[in-house]
Amino acid sequence: QDQGRNPSRAVAGGAKVAAMCVYLNSIAMAVAMVDALAIFLGGLYGFVMKKSKASIIASTLCAIIVVALAKATAFSMAFFVVLGAFCVVMVVMFAKKFKVNAAGAAGQDNLLGDVDEEKVRKTSRIIFGSLAALNAVEAVLGVVAFIASQD
C-alpha cells in the first residue's frame, strides 16, 4: 500500500522482483543444462550397454532441443513456456520407459539366468525415473520463470 505514496519503495520493490526473475532464470537455465546432459548420458548408457543407436541419436536430439530452447529464452521469455511444454513431453516419455522397466519384467530375466540384463534393466529404471523427475522440475521452473518475468 505504501509503495504508491513512496516512489523509492516502489523502485526497491521493482528491484526485488527483477532480482528474483534473474535468480529464477539462472536456476531454470542451470537445471536445463543439467537436464540436457543427463538426457544425453542416459542415451549413451543405452548405446554402451545395449548397442542401441536409437538411444544415442534420440537422446542427443532431445538434449540439443533442451539446450536450444533454454538459450532461446535470452531472446524471448516465452521460450520458457515452450521449454516447459517440451519437458512435459519428456516426463511422459520417461515415465512410460520407467514403467516398462518395472521390477516384474526384470524378474523374468533372472529366471533365465541373465543377471546382466536384470542389472541393465534396474539401472535403466533408475535413469528413466530420474530423468522424469528432472524434466518435471524443469517444466515447473520454466513456467514459473515465465510468469515471474511478466510482472
Side-chain angles (χ1 to χ4, degrees):
Q1 295 175 355
D2 206 24
Q3 288 180 357
R5 296 182 196 157
N6 187 343
S8 64
R9 281 199 175 172
V11 170
K16 286 180 184 177
V17 170
M20 184 180 76
C21 285
V22 169
Y23 183 68
L24 275 171
N25 293 350
S26 297
I27 291 173
M29 183 68 74
V31 172
M33 296 305 121
V34 169
D35 185 29
L37 180 62
I39 290 170
F40 173 75
L41 291 175
L44 183 61
Y45 178 79
F47 178 72
V48 169
M49 299 307 290
K50 301 291 280 179
K51 307 297 183 238
S52 172
K53 289 180 184 177
S55 291
I56 193 71
I57 293 169
S59 69
T60 300
L61 290 174
C62 289
I64 289 170
I65 291 169
V66 169
V67 169
L69 289 172
K71 293 293 185 180
T73 61
F75 302 106
S76 172
M77 294 301 289
F79 280 105
F80 271 124
V81 175
V82 178
L83 176 60
F86 183 74
C87 287
V88 167
V89 171
M90 296 286 96
V91 168
V92 171
M93 180 183 77
F94 291 130
K96 285 181 181 178
K97 290 177 179 277
F98 176 81
K99 193 173 181 180
V100 166
N101 284 286
Q108 293 172 353
D109 293 327
N110 199 19
L111 291 175
L112 300 174
D114 195 349
V115 178
D116 287 341
E117 183 64 27
E118 182 177 355
K119 184 178 177 184
V120 168
R121 195 168 267 153
K122 284 182 180 179
T123 303
S124 295
R125 187 171 164 85
I126 291 168
I127 291 169
F128 292 135
S130 300
L131 287 171
L134 185 58
N135 276 277
V137 168
E138 181 60 28
V140 170
L141 278 173
V143 173
V144 168
F146 174 75
I147 291 169
S149 74
Q150 300 305 300
D151 290 336

